Amino acid sequence: MEALSSIVGAINGVVWGPLMLVLILGVGFFLQVGLKFMPILKLGTGFSLLFKGRENQGEGQISPFNALMTSLSATIGTGNIAGVATAVFLGGPGALFWMWMTALVGMATKYAEAVLAVKYRETDELGNFVGGPMYYIKNGLGSSWYWLAPAFALFGAIAAFGIGNGVQANGVAQVLDSNFGVNTSVTGVVLMVLTAAVILGGITRIGAVAGKLVPFMAVSYIIAGLLVLLINAGAIGDALSLVFTHAFTPSAAEGGFAGAAVWAAIRFGVARGVFSNEAGLGSAPIAHAAASTAGPVNQGLVAMLGTFIDTIIVCSITGLAIIASGAWTSGESGAALTSLAFETSLPGIGGALIAVALSIFAFTTILGWSFYGEKCVGFFFGAKALMPYRVLWIVAIYFGATADLGFVWLLADTLNAMMAIPNLIALALLSPVVFKLTKEFFASNGASEAGDTAK
């Protein structure tokens, strides 16, 4: 295991090196500029479409709202609780700033992913829509770029077992063991049963469960987090000052915090930001491709909200709670650090609250990523492979729950980057299509609105 960890660690150092950060931030910034910052300026339009999107609006298996909830079910997970804490522990308070930067450019990335997913989606032999990076590469780019499609699908099928299965199951098992003394094996079995009850019903059932569970859990966590910030209101100004200061200057050692260079703040802020909101990873468009939407741009406007909600709202609350409470200098890391921040502010209930929140977040992530993984496998083997993949997914949960957390995180981090590379290349190459569809959509909508006003 040590030899394997060192090999994966070496690969991780390469794939999460300067090139990957330039790719993620560079492609996102390029798309944001090319879209004339539309994803930020049209945030209100996105929320308006979201609330109107509870009903089916065209061809597809699930409503635009449930498509976003499915993608959010996969993104709001351990990354929002343990991932943010790990970023602050390794990179200092400045890591939160770089998570924000990743999210702001990531909104354009997520928008472009969903636009292309709907534009180039196909129907499988069961009549269901399938889409995502492997399909917009296959149908949108020439044959010379086709190799990127199976590369993404292969990395996605394997990575799903890390980011969407092992890490999540492990996070639940560890937090329930430390807070309530629940044996990790018991947690593994319970998670297997609950997951089987949902995913064996396919995307329709996953979307239905996500549409109810995700809004409830997200709102509940946000309320609890705001309560922690309210209790530490006097320290929020200093916390924000630390975030902005240490984004550009090294963080000195303090208490149990070992100190961090600016490069660490950037690296871990971007890496954990991507792990949390998955912008650029290519996972979310697989869910958005199944949406019953009026068109590619409509779904893109809804999709970009996922990054905003996940990072700008949920991760910010976690990060500021950790910094404002002073827990960031305790020497704790991961979920234990977030738990300490909440327990310090809400004695007796804070730790339990984080344990429950992480468990629900992780469970829904397991559901969302099971769909992503099976569509990657389906790209190679068709619909006949879906049920065997679901069974394998359910069995893998037990092993994830009882595995070594450090190695699982390292493997997930590495496979994330391997997925992102073919997707980011495809987004850059297909950016003219995104810009053209966006321009036509707003020109058409602007004309119709002007006509309505004239009448």
Side-chain angles (χ1 to χ4, degrees):
M1 179 61 77
E2 283 184 21
L4 186 60
S5 293
S6 63
I7 292 170
V8 174
I11 296 171
N12 185 274
V14 174
V15 296
W16 276 119
L19 179 61
M20 173 53 67
L21 301 191
V22 169
L23 259 178
I24 291 174
L25 295 177
V27 170
F29 185 70
F30 167 71
L31 290 168
Q32 192 70 270
V33 171
L35 291 165
K36 298 174 182 173
F37 297 92
M38 181 279 296
I40 296 172
L41 299 174
K42 295 290 184 181
L43 197 60
T45 305
F47 277 107
S48 175
L49 286 170
L50 174 64
F51 292 119
K52 292 174 186 174
R54 291 178 176 272
E55 302 299 326
N56 291 355
Q57 298 176 358
E59 292 183 306
Q61 284 76 58
I62 54 177
S63 69
F65 178 85
N66 279 357
L68 176 64
M69 291 305 111
T70 300
S71 73
L72 273 177
S73 76
T75 56
I76 298 183
T78 56
N80 297 82
I81 293 177
V84 177
T86 302
V88 173
F89 173 74
L90 295 172
L96 185 58
F97 174 87
W98 293 106
M99 289 186 83
W100 291 338
M101 293 303 101
T102 305
L104 288 178
V105 299
M107 286 174 65
T109 309
K110 192 73 72 84
Y111 167 83
E113 288 176 333
V115 167
L116 294 172
V118 175
K119 165 76 173 170
Y120 293 111
R121 64 186 180 180
E122 298 179 359
T123 52
D124 63 15
E125 54 264 49
L126 301 177
N128 296 323
F129 277 111
V130 289
M134 53 281 198
Y135 291 97
Y136 53 72
I137 291 168
K138 172 189 169 187
N139 299 322
L141 295 175
S143 57
S144 58
W145 293 102
Y146 176 78
W147 63 275
L148 288 173
F152 174 87
L154 177 64
F155 293 138
I158 301 171
F161 283 97
I163 182 176
N165 190 314
V167 166
Q168 309 302 329
N170 199 289
V172 176
Q174 295 300 323
V175 81
L176 291 183
D177 180 34
S178 60
N179 283 273
F180 305 112
V182 180
N183 187 280
T184 56
S185 297
V186 173
T187 300
V189 172
V190 172
L191 277 177
M192 285 172 66
V193 173
L194 291 175
T195 303
V198 180
I199 72 169
L200 294 179
I203 184 58
T204 306
R205 193 180 299 171
I206 293 172
V209 171
K212 294 178 176 63
L213 199 53
V214 172
F216 169 75
M217 71 174 190
V219 170
S220 299
Y221 182 76
I222 288 168
I223 291 171
L226 289 175
L227 183 58
V228 170
L229 291 178
L230 186 63
I231 291 169
N232 294 287
I236 292 177
D238 289 339
L240 287 170
S241 176
L242 286 172
V243 170
F244 288 103
T245 301
H246 293 306
F248 304 99
T249 57
S251 303
E254 185 177 343
F257 176 67
V262 174
W263 167 242
I266 298 172
R267 180 190 172 188
F268 293 108
V270 173
R272 295 304 176 193
V274 172
F275 185 91
S276 177
N277 63 49
E278 296 175 16
L281 217 59
S283 51
I286 298 174
H288 289 289
S292 172
T293 180
V297 173
N298 293 67
Q299 196 59 32
L301 288 165
V302 172
M304 69 187 192
L305 300 177
T307 303
F308 181 84
I309 293 168
D310 178 273
T311 307
I312 302 297
I313 297 178
V314 182
C315 286
S316 294
I317 287 173
T318 302
L320 288 174
I322 289 169
I323 300 166
S325 67
W328 71 281
T329 60
S330 66
E332 292 285 358
S333 180
L337 176 53
T338 307
S339 183
L340 177 64
F342 275 65
E343 183 65 28
T344 302
S345 305
L346 301 169
I349 62 170
L353 192 150
I354 289 299
V356 172
L358 190 144
S359 299
I360 298 174
F361 281 12
F363 172 61
T364 58
T365 300
I366 290 171
L367 300 183
W369 266 92
S370 70
F371 180 69
Y372 296 163
E374 74 173 41
K375 291 308 173 193
C376 288
V377 169
F379 179 77
F380 293 111
F381 305 109
K384 66 179 182 291
L386 302 187
M387 197 54 72
Y389 186 87
R390 290 172 190 172
V391 173
L392 181 62
W393 183 265
I394 292 163
V395 172
I397 290 171
Y398 181 82
F399 294 99
T402 54
D404 173 64
L405 180 64
F407 177 70
V408 172
W409 268 102
L410 182 65
L411 183 63
D413 228 15
T414 305
L415 290 170
N416 272 8
M418 301 295 278
M419 279 179 72
I421 293 168
N423 181 53
L424 290 166
I425 293 170
L427 288 175
L429 293 171
L430 288 168
S431 58
V433 177
V434 177
F435 299 155
K436 181 173 178 286
L437 288 171
T438 305
K439 186 176 180 181
E440 289 173 352
F441 176 85
F442 284 105
S444 172
N445 276 24
S448 63
E449 286 173 14
D452 291 340
T453 305
K455 290 175 186 176

